[in-house]
Amino acid sequence: MGEDGCVTSAPQRPDGPTPTPRLIATDLDGTLLRDDKSVSLRTVAALAAAEEAGIEVFFVTGRPARWMDVVSDHVHGHGLAICANGAAVVDLHAGRKFVQVRALPRATAMTVVETLRTAAPGTSFAVEMTTGINYEPLYPPFFQDPGAQVATAEKLLQEDADDTSAPVLKLLAHHSELAPDEFLTLARSVAGTYASITRSSPTALLEISALGVSKASTLELCCAERGISHAEVVAFGDMPNDVEMLSWAGTSYAMGNAHPAVIAAASGRTVANNEDGVAVVIERILAERAAHQR
């Protein structure tokens, strides 16, 4: 997932002493997870040690709730995770139950579809809802979903669009010819006033949420409920959809495999996801905390 040369030496610390956080917020793909989508034993141990030390851990991901099984056994205490780039908070201890939904209005999604079709002909769309994903015939079948409806985005967004309809979490837009960052820049320039637009894929696949919805804004809401300030948060990420979260957190780390925009946004840098970069920092935080308590 990374788009920059990997860091394989010791992590680069933010300036000043390493704070003792009250909450650790970490992305999954390209960050906590290795490239084979596994959670290493070292990382499992580090997460458990953080929770045992009284530091809450939040998984903050672009993944939908139905893809959270990979970490369901590793969330402790509160059991909550932030999914779909902040559009949903789910309880992993209660079968991925939706606790909070910050939906993308269907009318807004329609406007974005129309705008991108004009600005970038050849764009294909998928619609991610609380009930699953539906997509257009030309949308690449990244992950087959046997229950998906296949139709134009206009039909998918209008179909059964009443008060009982499943909320739309995000709109996905794919282009087969544009470069990923080129597509992101274009989409933000023509549709950024309607919705929040980001990306986490190495392909030209955009993720579009309601205006103001991001990993950062939903994490801020979750922290406020707990009386936790941004200064008490340590965050980890690797792709553009992590930039706002890393900028908001008091201390943040770009992975060694991170996109250049992520490196610029973070206050520090750790080693790559395949080298357990999140665990490396957690272990150091806990070791320094133990030393100060002696």
Side-chain angles (χ1 to χ4, degrees):
M1 298 282 279
E3 301 186 15
D4 194 69
C6 288
V7 169
T8 56
S9 58
Q12 299 174 9
R13 299 174 182 235
D15 293 335
T18 302
T20 298
R22 291 180 60 194
L23 187 144
I24 291 169
T26 177
D27 172 52
L28 295 182
D29 296 283
T31 300
L32 188 80
L33 304 182
R34 291 189 167 186
D35 286 348
D36 64 3
K37 306 305 178 185
S38 67
V39 186
S40 73
L41 293 177
R42 180 181 184 180
T43 296
V44 169
L47 295 173
E51 291 278 5
E52 187 174 345
I55 302 171
E56 292 193 71
V57 176
F58 262 80
F59 300 131
V60 189
T61 179
R63 286 185 172 218
R66 65 183 183 280
W67 290 358
M68 294 299 289
D69 286 350
V70 65
V71 292
S72 291
D73 292 338
H74 310 306
V75 63
H76 306 271
H78 56 77
L80 301 179
I82 296 172
C83 296
N85 290 330
V89 179
V90 301
D91 188 341
L92 299 182
H93 288 169
R96 303 189 301 273
K97 175 184 176 183
F98 287 94
V99 175
Q100 181 181 17
V101 172
R102 305 179 70 192
L104 173 65
R106 288 172 182 255
T108 301
M110 286 283 288
T111 298
V112 173
V113 167
E114 294 167 0
T115 302
L116 289 183
R117 286 208 199 280
T118 300
T123 301
S124 59
F125 296 92
V127 182
E128 179 72 51
M129 298 179 292
T130 54
T131 52
I133 191 169
N134 298 318
Y135 42 81
E136 295 191 315
L138 295 180
Y139 185 80
F142 295 110
F143 300 96
Q144 293 289 350
D145 188 332
Q149 295 183 52
V150 180
T152 65
E154 289 82 355
K155 183 176 181 181
L156 294 173
L157 290 167
Q158 288 180 339
E159 191 145 328
D160 300 324
D162 56 33
D163 292 340
T164 64
S165 298
V168 175
L169 296 177
K170 61 181 179 179
L171 182 68
L172 299 162
H174 180 268
H175 203 282
S176 60
E177 296 179 4
L178 294 175
D181 284 334
E182 179 187 5
F183 192 26
L184 177 60
T185 299
L186 173 63
R188 284 176 169 173
S189 69
V190 298
T193 57
Y194 307 123
S196 296
I197 306 172
T198 189
R199 76 176 187 89
S200 61
S201 170
T203 67
L205 177 64
L206 305 183
E207 301 166 62
I208 301 162
S209 307
L211 196 63
V213 172
S214 67
K215 290 185 176 186
S217 62
T218 301
L219 178 61
E220 183 176 11
L221 292 173
C222 291
C223 287
E225 291 174 353
R226 291 160 173 74
I228 296 174
S229 72
H230 73 96
E232 299 171 301
V233 176
V234 173
F236 299 85
D238 73 307
M239 288 296 278
N241 64 330
D242 297 312
V243 166
E244 292 91 344
M245 178 175 72
L246 299 182
S247 298
W248 176 80
T251 304
S252 57
Y253 289 87
M255 306 305 292
N257 49 290
H259 184 281
V262 174
I263 296 169
S267 56
R269 197 172 182 192
T270 186
V271 293
N273 62 315
N274 284 333
E275 299 175 78
D276 302 326
V278 174
V280 168
V281 175
I282 293 176
E283 290 165 357
R284 189 184 70 216
I285 289 171
L286 295 179
E288 291 180 352
R289 175 175 175 169
H292 291 157
Q293 291 176 342
R294 289 175 189 156

